Amino acid sequence: MSERLQPGDVAPAFTLPDADGHEVSLADHKGRKVIVYFYPAALTPGCTKQACDFTDNLDLLADAGYDVIGISPDTPEKLARFREKESLKVTLLADPDKKVTEAYAAYGEKKNYGKTYMGVIRSTIVVDEAGKVSHALYNVRATGHVAKIIKDLGI
């Protein structure tokens, strides 16, 4: 498991397929601020709530200079179904081997109902125009998280 990212760290580079199978890289967003969020699984209640919250606030975030990228271990096909079913506008990327999720320290030990297991830790990393981490939030809640980010970023 990777060390958790801290403000000032260089954000790990990545290139992953989106819901349509097109490659998307962090480098494609150089010169823009990027909110990269990691979630456990498409088409689940909490992840749907979070993705819909980001979609609902996408114009506000874009006007403030932020791009939004959601990353999960799902396949591009499942991400496409998720996007269509929920009318999502955020960029969704597939990380089935969890290499990027691990590089961002968003994969690790979780506890649920007294059981310990390995899984995606719901996390949000904000990357500045220079590719450095400005905010690193781990173990975030799906509900109310986008409002908190907007407040923390002073938007």
Side-chain angles (χ1 to χ4, degrees):
M1 276 185 317
S2 301
E3 285 282 315
R4 287 193 168 177
L5 297 174
Q6 301 294 323
D9 289 350
V10 172
F14 62 79
T15 300
L16 293 170
D18 68 8
D20 299 314
H22 302 121
E23 300 275 302
V24 175
S25 297
L26 182 60
D28 298 341
H29 297 269
K30 196 106 172 119
R32 300 248 326 145
K33 296 175 274 200
V34 186
I35 296 169
V36 182
Y37 78 97
F38 295 87
Y39 62 100
L43 300 167
T44 58
C47 298
T48 298
K49 173 80 179 113
Q50 188 178 23
C52 288
D53 277 356
F54 271 118
T55 293
D56 292 346
N57 289 284
L58 203 56
D59 289 342
L60 177 71
L61 292 164
D63 289 348
Y66 290 90
D67 296 334
V68 179
I69 297 173
I71 298 176
S72 73
D74 299 303
T75 63
E77 297 77 27
K78 186 172 179 187
L79 295 178
R81 285 197 310 276
F82 186 34
R83 181 185 62 200
E84 303 313 314
K85 181 174 188 267
E86 302 298 338
S87 302
L88 301 174
K89 305 243 181 305
V90 296
T91 300
L92 300 173
L93 302 182
D95 184 24
D97 62 10
K98 302 177 200 72
K99 283 196 182 1
V100 175
T101 305
E102 288 175 358
Y104 277 77
Y107 186 81
E109 204 170 86
K110 296 172 67 164
K111 284 187 169 54
N112 198 14
Y113 301 113
K115 289 201 181 331
T116 302
Y117 61 97
M118 297 298 284
V120 175
I121 298 163
R122 194 179 302 275
S123 309
T124 301
I125 310 300
V126 182
V127 181
D128 69 15
E129 300 90 337
K132 295 221 177 230
V133 174
S134 67
H135 295 74
L137 309 162
Y138 291 94
N139 294 308
V140 301
R141 294 193 175 281
T143 305
H145 177 59
V146 176
K148 181 184 178 336
I149 289 173
I150 289 169
K151 185 171 177 266
D152 287 356
L153 297 175
I155 299 171

